[in-house]
Amino acid sequence: MTNVSHRGDMATHPDISEMRTRYARMLGGRDVALVDGPVFLLGLYCAASPWILHYTASQPALATHNLIMGIAIGLLALGFTTAPARMYGLSWAMCAMGVWMIIAPWIVGSGPDAGVTVNNIVIGALAVVLGLMCAGTAQKSAPRA
């Protein structure tokens, strides 16, 4: 049996350059991996916020709107996690969704109170910030021509 208990320096391994290339390709510019979780949590909160803040009866259209938008943000987060190379181009869409969330209480809602308005403004602002972070990382990790 071969003695494999010794630990050598990996720099002398014959396939070190191929292993480094494969490792870098596997990471695929995942500098923003810590953003994927907060994006998903933001979508989850957005979907649940009508029931958390109890405005499903007073603002049924806005409650449905937030549910749909929350599911969409959550699906974007899952896409960012599972297929980052393809999905980070949609980071700008998340920014647009954030802007829409900010103005939605006045367009979709009917006379929203301050709590509903502040809730949507905070969700929208966080979506814009997280979308910009994802977009910046996608821009930074894009191949140079």
Side-chain angles (χ1 to χ4, degrees):
M1 179 134 62
T2 306
N3 182 10
V4 292
S5 62
H6 67 283
R7 304 231 185 238
D9 185 16
M10 282 298 292
T12 61
H13 193 280
D15 295 329
I16 190 68
S17 63
E18 179 186 345
M19 290 175 5
R20 284 184 180 147
T21 304
R22 209 181 306 160
Y23 182 71
R25 189 175 61 237
M26 180 194 69
L27 287 179
R30 297 293 293 152
D31 297 343
V32 76
L34 294 175
V35 177
D36 298 346
V39 170
F40 183 75
L41 291 175
L42 180 68
L44 186 65
Y45 174 74
C46 181
S49 65
W51 290 272
I52 293 171
L53 298 179
H54 305 291
Y55 63 88
T56 54
S58 64
Q59 298 286 332
L62 195 58
T64 304
H65 169 269
N66 280 15
L67 176 65
I68 293 168
M69 291 296 288
I71 291 170
I73 291 171
L75 288 175
L76 271 178
L78 290 176
F80 291 159
T81 302
T82 58
R86 287 187 244 159
M87 291 296 292
Y88 277 128
L90 291 176
S91 302
W92 295 109
M94 193 165 129
C95 293
M97 290 169 70
V99 171
W100 172 250
M101 286 297 296
I102 291 171
I103 62 173
W106 296 281
I107 296 173
V108 177
S110 55
D113 63 356
V116 173
T117 304
V118 169
N119 178 60
N120 271 36
I121 289 173
V122 169
I123 291 172
L126 286 172
V128 169
V129 168
L130 291 172
L132 287 173
M133 289 173 67
C134 291
T137 300
Q139 188 70 24
K140 184 175 70 172
S141 65
R144 304 279 186 239

